[in-house]
Amino acid sequence: MNLAKKINLKDDEKIVSILRPYTLTYAWKYLFGLAFLLVSSFFMFRLFFYGWWGDIIYGVGMFIGFYLIFQALFVNRANILVVTNARVVDIHRVGWFDEIISSAGYMEIKDVAVRKKGIWQSLFNYGGLAIQTKAQNFVLEVLGIHNPTQIQGLILDLGQQYKQDIKVANSQVIYNNFIKILPNLPDGDLQTVQRLIADQLNPNLGSTDSK
């Protein structure tokens, strides 16, 4: 399925960044899977010599090898963190046919925390990212992200920009509504509006008149 359709991307929403788990977090599955395939292939003819139980051992070894490789390829790499200009979406593949999609808008995000545990995560600069919402009972957590501090800064910057854009948009809506009702205001209200506008345009003149 297309990623935009999967996260229900809106018309005015743009994808800023797509993040997948760091390769080192699941590389061991590739190594173990390859090891099972190589060992099973190396002893293939010797196992076949022992009859049906040798065939079973060979089949089990090949199955485990392919299973580990395909799980790393289709399950682990399917975990995606999508950062847009309006929200953060976490696509978490639990199993082959089990997927959880969670999202948090920038207006809902309260804090973004980074955790690097152990010497390997500090050495190779990867770790977890926890996004806490204002609801307190919902935390969006993503593990195994490369350079999580940079992603933390990106999310915080996008959140600040989004909130600023919302303020500008709300101000524009208020202005448009004011323009619409302006012709229907009585003379007294228009004079009040005129005086307020004059005070805003000439604040020094207004203070002089008051003296």
Side-chain angles (χ1 to χ4, degrees), residues 38-77:
L38 291 177
V39 171
S40 299
S41 300
F42 183 79
F43 292 102
M44 176 177 62
F45 294 106
R46 182 173 296 182
L47 289 173
F48 289 165
F49 177 78
Y50 290 102
W52 63 269
W53 65 269
D55 297 342
I56 293 177
I57 294 176
Y58 171 77
V60 170
M62 296 295 289
F63 173 80
I64 294 176
F66 280 116
Y67 178 82
L68 290 174
I69 292 176
F70 279 104
Q71 186 189 43
L73 184 63
F74 292 106
V75 177
N76 294 90
R77 276 191 57 81

Side-chain angles (χ1 to χ4, degrees), residues 1-10 13 15 82 84 87 89-91 101:
M1 182 186 294
N2 184 277
L3 182 60
K5 293 182 179 180
K6 178 175 288 189
I7 67 174
N8 192 21
L9 193 70
K10 299 178 176 61
E13 189 177 10
I15 296 178
V82 184
T84 75
R87 57 184 170 141
V89 183
D90 176 35
I91 303 175
I101 300 178

Side-chain angles (χ1 to χ4, degrees), residues 18-53:
I18 300 175
L19 304 164
R20 299 180 186 275
Y22 194 35
T23 306
L24 287 178
T25 60
Y26 57 87
W28 64 271
K29 292 186 178 181
Y30 285 118
L31 296 177
F32 274 97
L34 185 61
F36 272 100
L37 294 179
L38 291 177
V39 171
S40 299
S41 300
F42 183 79
F43 292 102
M44 176 177 62
F45 294 106
R46 182 173 296 182
L47 289 173
F48 289 165
F49 177 78
Y50 290 102
W52 63 269
W53 65 269

Side-chain angles (χ1 to χ4, degrees), residues 77-109:
R77 276 191 57 81
N79 295 328
I80 304 174
L81 181 69
V82 184
V83 181
T84 75
N85 61 336
R87 57 184 170 141
V88 179
V89 183
D90 176 35
I91 303 175
H92 181 59
R93 179 68 63 85
V94 181
W96 293 96
F97 305 102
D98 190 2
E99 187 177 68
I100 301 174
I101 300 178
S102 307
S103 65
Y106 291 125
M107 297 299 292
E108 305 169 358
I109 294 177

